[in-house]
């Protein structure tokens, strides 16, 4: 499902709206401009965001962050990326081997 929503990428407003969608059973898959693609899910995923510089983003991609990188968006002014991470709260007790 695609939804159109105008907001500042990585903002508290965007994060609140995305987490409301997650509570309704819609998992974020992709962002293209102001269009957000969701997929139905039975497991809500709590999202959080951060702004990172391109240099830090390269380091993050090379490592294994503790949370799943759901999507990222390159901003032009300033030259940073907005990263959205997901935490599947149903797996909080998963085996960490």
């Amino acid at each position: 499902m695609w939804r159109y929503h105008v907001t500042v990428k990585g903002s508290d407003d965007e994060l609140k709206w995305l987490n409301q969608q997650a509570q309704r059973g819609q998992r974020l898959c992709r962002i293209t401009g102001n269009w957000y693609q969701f997929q139905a899910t039975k497991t809500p995923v709590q999202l959080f965001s951060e702004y990172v510089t391109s240099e830090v983003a390269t380091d993050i991609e090379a490592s294994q962050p503790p949370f799943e990188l759901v999507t990222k968006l390159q901003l032009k002014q300033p030259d940073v990326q907005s990263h959205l991470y997901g935490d599947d709260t149903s797996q909080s007790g998963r085996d960490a081997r």
Side-chain angles (χ1 to χ4, degrees):
M1 166 179 73
W2 286 89
R3 304 261 334 246
Y4 187 82
H5 186 74
V6 178
T7 187
V8 174
K9 303 301 179 235
S11 68
D12 289 340
D13 179 57
E14 180 188 48
L15 203 54
K16 180 180 175 183
W17 180 74
L18 289 171
N19 281 315
Q20 287 172 344
Q21 300 307 309
Q23 291 304 311
R24 293 182 181 128
Q26 299 297 319
R27 179 183 172 90
L28 178 67
C29 299
R30 181 173 141 173
I31 301 173
T32 304
N34 292 322
W35 287 96
Y36 295 76
Q37 184 178 17
F38 296 92
Q39 180 179 15
T41 182
K42 293 182 180 180
T43 307
V45 175
Q46 179 71 34
L47 295 175
F48 58 97
S49 66
E50 68 177 344
Y51 291 109
V52 295
T53 63
S54 296
E55 295 82 24
V56 172
T58 303
D59 292 340
I60 290 172
E61 291 172 6
S63 69
Q64 291 186 336
F67 302 106
E68 176 190 357
L69 177 61
V70 176
T71 187
K72 63 183 176 179
L73 181 68
Q74 179 67 46
L75 304 176
K76 294 178 182 174
Q77 293 295 330
D79 183 21
V80 296
Q81 291 182 7
S82 172
H83 286 198
L84 285 167
Y85 295 93
D87 181 18
D88 183 349
T89 55
S90 72
Q91 295 183 10
S92 59
R94 63 184 163 213
D95 189 5
R97 282 189 244 169

